[in-house]
Amino acid sequence: MRIARLAEQSCLFPVFEAEYGEVTDVTPIRRRVPVEEYLRPQKRYAHHFEPEPRTDVIARIQRTADRNIARFGLLAQERAHEQAQEAAP
């Protein structure tokens, strides 16, 4: 359960609903964590950290998460701001 929560909070696996190929709802994240916190506890990603950290690969994965944030508007405060702007006349 912890790893699944970290996957969502790191924005690597955004939670959203789609109908007919269109995103209809997005679950914003409350607390953003770096992708490293999601990757490090999993043995399948150990090669990114040992013997030396592969900062280039980790940075590339982080960029993917950052693109997900921008694409889906995942940060809770950003979503609230966007919704307020849409509601304003």
Side-chain angles (χ1 to χ4, degrees):
M1 190 68 173
R2 184 175 139 249
I3 297 298
R5 186 168 289 120
L6 287 172
E8 181 208 1
Q9 291 174 341
S10 68
C11 301
L12 280 176
F13 295 93
V15 178
F16 64 92
E17 294 180 30
E19 293 180 12
Y20 305 107
E22 296 292 322
V23 175
T24 59
D25 192 27
V26 176
T27 302
I29 58 171
R30 293 186 196 122
R31 185 178 78 90
R32 182 178 177 191
V33 298
V35 296
E36 189 172 339
E37 285 187 33
Y38 166 69
L39 300 173
R40 192 174 286 279
Q42 301 180 65
K43 290 183 181 182
R44 63 185 173 158
Y45 297 115
H47 62 283
H48 293 309
F49 301 99
E50 298 169 6
E52 291 182 22
R54 296 283 314 271
T55 54
D56 59 325
V57 174
I58 296 168
R60 191 169 50 219
I61 296 169
Q62 182 65 59
R63 283 193 300 273
T64 299
D66 294 343
R67 278 194 302 272
N68 285 340
I69 290 170
R71 178 179 179 195
F72 296 108
L74 294 174
L75 296 179
Q77 63 269 19
E78 287 180 9
R79 297 251 332 145
H81 180 68
E82 287 174 4
Q83 290 172 347
Q85 286 182 334
E86 289 173 0

